[in-house]
Amino acid sequence: MFHPRRTLRALLLPLAAGLSFIALPAQTAQAASTLTNAGFETDGAGTATPTGWSTYSAAGQNSASFAEAGGHSGGYRLTHWASTAYKVETYQYLSGLTNGTYKLSAWVRSGGGQNSAYLALKNCGSSEQRTDLPVSSSGWVHIVTPINVTNNQCTVSINSDANAGNWINVDDLTFTSGTTGLSIKGSDISSLAKSEAKGGVYRTSSGTAGDAVTILKNAGMNYARLKVWVDPADGYNNKTRVLAVAKRVKAAGMKLLVDFHYSDTWADPGAQSKPAAWSGHSYSQLKTDVYNHTYDVLNALKAQGTTADMVQVGNEINGGMMWSEGSTDNWGQLAGLLNSGYDAVKAVNSSTAVALHLAKGGDLSGTRWWFDSAVSNGVKFDAIGLSYYGYWHGTLADFQTTLDDAASRYAKPVFLAETAYPFRLDSDDSLTNQIDLSSELVTGYPATPAGQLAWMNAVANIVEAVPNGRGLGVFYWEATWTAVTGNGWDPADAASGNGWENQALFGYDDKALSSMSWFSHR
């Protein structure tokens, strides 16, 4: 018997990607003045303002900023903490800088609960840049902040506006030439066409009905992800529908990621069923099927002037795809299928990036095993996409470790192919939501629009901090899947509900949520 709640946890992890390699500006700026005591090792213990740093608090709460034992590296760290509510800034003024682009790097932890807790670069001649500290009470997380210095000076600032008992740790700061940012601020909108056909409405934050693609674009979204099923029961997410939505995506000036499931329905870690039309085919024929299907869809997109910018060959293929022939139990055959897809993509357009997508965002050893196997079997790919849902896939520190390792180990750009977070817990239809209990939430991130935004900023900041500019960006899953009768999870069952509407970026009143502002991440 089918249990929607249980199965959906596996079913609902779809999608990834968008490649425009980040072009780093010429790094000619050289810091004539560098940070002093950036690791807080000098005069490390005690409540005194750390050597080289200054402290400011309007309420005379300077003691809320202090160095103490327990560094990320070395013996000490900076801590903000007080037993009563406090506002404090720890800062350092740099002068004599050569004008140009710089980036601040730091390792941080936070117990959460603050009104705000962030690193900033200010008084640098250009607009102040901030990076919020993620809520991470155990593992250290690396964050970065870029700035354009135009007046030969800059202030490095560590800020807390906190409630009693809130704390942050900061350590191992660097201020060096370079820049950061995300080239992909995307979302999957595969549900949109069917939603609209079934009466779904999308509104601006002020309540004006509008086109969802336009509303998302105006919020800053620059990349759309669309899944492709071969012959789905409802006739949506197939070639014809994807072609139609692709026109809207490209007309809005967005880039396009096409996500091939190589199935008639959801493909994910728990299900990789071959399309019915291919069910009796030999392995050799399946390679041809993959090539022809991939080529057909992408060539049709190209012919209508909406060439795909990135393609996923397979969706969340932890255990391979097109079971059983393409299972990871037979890496040689899986490699053949993946390379067949790769070759078809490049035959249509050699500059379209090919991504491989796993749902192992917090699983370092599992991601290494999979991609080591892929490389040793000669699999061709241009980028790595990982799904990472904080309520399923480990801590933010786990995600950062896995993502950074993949970028370095395989020398490829990486991106967060799928993530999401609820803005409320109750349902807008009769189907129980996938995440509907406060106990399922990530500590420090409430099920509110503000919590949803904080989550998105946290994961975006982690992708931004991937070394060597290899962090491409983030795709949200799934911005437009609101509760609309007839647009449930099962393409074969018009009465099936949506267990995900509390993680859309439009509210139950159909209005764009404030959390949509994550798309404007630098």
Side-chain angles (χ1 to χ4, degrees):
M1 179 178 175
F2 177 72
H3 294 87
R5 180 173 174 79
R6 295 289 161 255
T7 307
L8 262 182
R9 292 188 188 276
L11 285 174
L12 289 181
L13 297 184
L15 305 65
L19 250 201
S20 40
F21 292 88
I22 299 172
L24 298 180
Q27 298 184 11
T28 54
Q30 294 297 322
S33 176
T34 55
L35 282 169
T36 300
N37 194 22
F40 306 99
E41 297 300 307
T42 305
D43 302 326
T47 57
T49 297
T51 298
W53 295 86
S54 301
T55 309
Y56 173 77
S57 175
Q61 298 169 304
N62 286 15
S63 62
S65 171
F66 53 93
E68 64 176 349
H72 168 256
S73 70
Y76 297 92
R77 68 196 182 205
L78 177 74
T79 293
H80 286 180
W81 176 87
S83 59
T84 57
Y86 63 95
K87 293 183 181 180
V88 70
E89 175 189 15
T90 309
Y91 65 96
Q92 189 168 150
Y93 168 69
L94 300 177
S95 61
L97 298 172
T98 302
N99 288 338
T101 55
Y102 292 84
K103 63 179 179 181
L104 177 70
S105 168
W107 288 87
V108 301
R109 301 193 305 183
S110 171
Q114 299 90 348
N115 300 314
S116 63
Y118 61 91
L119 303 187
L121 295 172
K122 60 184 185 179
N123 307 321
C124 312
S126 60
S127 299
E128 177 177 338
Q129 295 292 314
R130 294 183 179 183
T131 303
D132 292 334
L133 270 64
V135 180
S136 179
S137 59
S138 54
W140 290 87
V141 173
H142 178 220
I143 59 175
V144 294
T145 311
I147 196 72
N148 185 27
V149 173
T150 63
N151 61 355
N152 304 112
Q153 63 189 35
C154 199
T155 299
V156 175
S157 174
I158 304 164
N159 286 265
S160 293
D161 177 356
N163 299 299
N166 295 163
W167 60 269
I168 66 170
N169 299 147
V170 179
D171 202 5
D172 294 339
L173 293 95
T174 63
F175 184 78
T176 58
S177 300
T179 191
T180 66
L182 299 179
S183 60
I184 297 169
K185 279 91 75 169
S187 176
D188 197 289
I189 55 170
S190 297
S191 66
L192 179 59
K194 188 174 180 180
S195 174
E196 292 170 334
K198 300 296 181 182
V201 175
Y202 298 88
R203 301 181 183 278
T204 65
S205 57
S206 60
T208 305
D211 174 58
V213 175
T214 302
I215 293 168
L216 289 161
K217 181 223 168 53
N218 289 342
M221 177 171 150
N222 66 4
Y223 225 119
R225 181 178 187 245
L226 299 174
K227 69 170 171 274
V228 183
W229 288 338
V230 177
D231 187 21
D234 61 359
Y236 285 87
N237 299 298
N238 60 10
K239 174 187 169 183
T240 301
R241 304 287 187 178
V242 168
L243 285 168
V245 179
K247 286 184 176 179
R248 298 168 61 184
V249 166
K250 291 285 189 167
M254 295 185 195
K255 291 187 175 182
L256 174 65
L257 165 64
V258 178
D259 172 23
F260 286 95
H261 284 226
Y262 302 110
S263 182
D264 293 332
T265 187
W266 303 100
D268 57 52
Q272 295 282 341
S273 302
K274 288 189 292 289
W278 307 353
S279 61
H281 291 185
S282 67
Y283 168 66
S284 178
Q285 181 61 44
L286 288 172
K287 284 197 293 184
T288 303
D289 292 332
V290 168
Y291 187 97
N292 289 345
H293 170 60
T294 306
Y295 186 95
D296 179 50
V297 173
L298 296 178
N299 196 50
L301 284 165
K302 180 180 178 181
Q304 72 172 12
T306 60
T307 300
D309 299 282
M310 185 186 277
V311 168
Q312 277 178 236
V313 176
N315 186 77
E316 295 192 326
I317 50 177
N318 298 7
M321 65 184 193
M322 297 168 59
W323 292 341
S324 60
E325 287 82 357
S327 164
T328 50
D329 291 338
N330 190 333
W331 258 104
Q333 290 194 171
L334 174 57
L337 294 169
L338 293 172
N339 282 340
S340 190
Y342 178 96
D343 291 343
V345 175
K346 299 299 184 178
V348 174
N349 181 46
S350 61
S351 62
T352 296
V354 176
L356 298 179
H357 172 210
L358 301 187
K360 287 182 174 287
D363 181 357
L364 175 64
S365 61
T367 298
R368 278 187 173 181
W369 172 83
W370 199 98
F371 278 99
D372 282 359
S373 301
V375 169
S376 67
N377 280 278
V379 176
K380 296 176 283 190
F381 61 99
D382 303 318
I384 292 170
L386 298 177
S387 294
Y388 170 65
Y389 295 92
Y391 36 73
W392 289 330
H393 293 145
T395 67
L396 288 166
D398 291 336
F399 171 54
Q400 181 165 63
T401 299
T402 306
L403 193 69
D404 288 358
D405 182 77
S408 170
R409 189 175 181 90
Y410 309 106
K412 301 287 187 185
V414 296
F415 59 96
L416 178 47
E418 293 180 30
T419 192
Y421 206 76
F423 61 90
R424 58 195 291 171
L425 292 174
D426 59 321
S427 296
D428 196 26
D429 66 8
S430 60
L431 182 63
T432 301
N433 287 333
Q434 284 300 288
I435 302 299
D436 67 336
L437 301 173
S438 58
S439 60
E440 296 174 302
L441 297 173
V442 180
T443 301
Y445 296 91
T448 62
Q452 191 180 43
L453 174 60
W455 176 260
M456 290 309 298
N457 282 334
V459 293
N461 291 338
I462 284 173
V463 178
E464 184 186 17
V466 174
N468 301 308
R470 290 192 174 121
L472 294 173
V474 177
F475 285 92
Y476 194 83
W477 200 87
E478 211 261 27
T480 57
W481 200 14
T482 53
V484 175
T485 301
N487 192 24
W489 71 269
D490 185 354
D493 180 5
S496 63
N498 177 0
W500 208 258
E501 76 272 12
N502 65 326
Q503 301 193 62
L505 294 180
F506 292 87
Y508 291 2
D509 57 4
D510 301 322
K511 294 180 183 178
L513 293 168
S514 56
S515 48
M516 211 178 273
S517 63
W518 87 264
F519 286 119
S520 62
H521 192 284
R522 58 181 171 257

